[in-house]
Amino acid sequence: MTPSAADPLELLEIARSIALEAGAMIVEARRGGVEVADRKSSPVDVVTQVDRDSEQLIRTRLAEARSDDGFFGEEGARDPSASGITWVVDPIDGTVNFLYGIPHYAVSIAAVEGEADPQTWRALAAVVLNPVTGELFSATEGGGARLGDAPISIRPAAPLSQSLIATGFAYAEATRAEQGAAIARLLPLVRDVRRMGTASLDLCAVACGRVDAYFERTLSPWDHAAGALIAHEAGAVVTGLDGRRPDHLMTLAAHPDSVVALEAVLRDIGA
Ligand code: 2AM
Ligand code: CA
Ligand code: CA
Ligand code: CA
């Protein structure tokens, strides 16, 4: 693999225009009604034909724009990288919201350098688009985070008792039971909890100060690739447990002054 000389701003422009095209297709497809096409890891883990169509559209457009780059998408499309850059894509993040018509889902596209592994990759550019509201979050490495054209940043650090915490629950039944118990222990300690249903937008909510922090277990690389760069560039620490980067066990995003205490509390309550 040759090292990339890609300009993060060029990558961002490509991601932005493809996300907008995919988002328009998704919103239009929903007008015709949506059905579950298949179940994945469990009966509640669903996929629609629109998830698959969105992935194919994004993959095709990326290949047209940058034929040497790799592709790594939730719905299974994989292309090897000759350039050293790989696109990590969630074609619809928040599929359950999409299915029910809750206007809170996203197209998530990140360009990373290195293997498609969050422990080692270097995120260069990222876009998270809510195609219903038109809100487009973006970031480039070292270039800050934006909502539309406006720079965004996280909220000032707050004590846990005054923190609004976003989270999500796994699809596996046993894990959900544990997570319910952990939430029961967390609720008395915090301002409140939000379960909005779209991991990428939860990370963007941290980035623009709509919540104080976010944590979720059992995420996959495409769930957090773009949102993690956006939250990081907005001033958050985005981490896994024990100094690891985000992984299947935990993705945690918070103010740098709050993250250590929050990690300790999550451990304490068994989150
Ligand atoms: P999806 O809609 O693309 O499947 C819900 O908590 C959020 O987590 C959504 O962003 C959902 O993405 C994502 N997610 C993906 N896999 C998950 C899993 N196995 N358990 C919980 N959430 C998952
Ligand atoms: Ca899914
Ligand atoms: Ca997802
Ligand atoms: Ca998805």
Side-chain angles (χ1 to χ4, degrees):
M1 257 183 251
T2 51
S4 72
D7 174 359
L9 284 172
E10 268 172 41
L11 299 173
L12 184 64
E13 274 320 300
I14 291 166
R16 186 200 310 271
S17 84
I18 294 174
L20 288 167
E21 184 181 353
M25 183 280 283
I26 291 165
V27 167
E28 184 55 34
R30 208 187 174 287
R31 280 189 232 282
V34 191
E35 282 170 31
V36 172
D38 208 350
R39 282 158 174 86
K40 296 169 83 177
S41 64
S42 81
V44 292
D45 183 0
V46 297
V47 62
T48 73
Q49 189 55 42
V50 188
D51 295 72
R52 295 170 176 163
D53 292 347
S54 176
E55 180 154 310
Q56 274 319 309
L57 174 63
I58 294 166
R59 182 193 194 186
T60 301
R61 291 290 181 262
L62 285 170
E64 287 165 3
R66 291 185 51 90
S67 58
D68 287 345
D69 293 353
F71 186 91
F72 188 76
E74 175 177 6
E75 306 313 335
R78 300 282 182 273
D79 295 310
S81 179
S83 65
I85 289 174
T86 293
W87 294 89
V88 182
V89 171
D90 194 334
I92 300 180
D93 189 30
T95 290
V96 175
N97 285 348
F98 173 71
L99 187 65
Y100 280 75
I102 297 170
H104 191 77
Y105 46 88
V107 177
S108 175
I109 301 179
V112 306
E113 196 171 57
E115 301 298 313
D117 173 1
Q119 295 307 308
T120 56
W121 74 34
R122 177 175 162 204
L124 301 176
V127 165
V128 174
L129 169 71
N130 178 336
V132 187
T133 63
E135 284 193 327
L136 189 146
F137 296 88
S138 65
T140 52
E141 185 193 36
R146 285 167 197 271
L147 167 50
D149 293 329
I152 51 174
S153 58
I154 60 169
R155 301 180 76 75
L160 189 64
S161 61
Q162 289 164 41
S163 290
L164 185 62
I165 311 281
T167 189
F169 306 125
Y171 293 132
E173 269 172 47
T175 316
R176 288 163 88 99
E178 280 171 27
Q179 288 176 319
I183 290 293
R185 293 189 278 268
L186 182 65
L187 265 175
L189 307 178
V190 298
R191 185 187 295 276
D192 212 338
V193 169
R194 293 288 180 270
R195 197 289 189 241
M196 297 181 281
T198 303
S200 59
L201 289 173
D202 288 336
L203 286 160
C204 293
V206 173
C208 70
R210 290 178 185 167
V211 297
D212 291 286
Y214 162 68
F215 73 94
E216 184 160 357
R217 286 167 59 182
T218 68
L219 292 186
S220 296
W222 43 78
D223 296 315
H224 59 69
L229 180 63
I230 293 165
H232 170 77
E233 288 293 331
V237 170
V238 186
T239 180
L241 295 177
D242 302 320
R244 288 173 62 77
R245 292 167 73 180
D247 63 9
H248 200 69
L249 292 176
M250 180 60 76
T251 298
L252 169 59
H255 191 289
D257 295 347
S258 310
V259 71
V260 173
L262 184 57
E263 185 179 339
V265 167
L266 294 179
R267 210 179 282 281
D268 209 46
I269 63 171

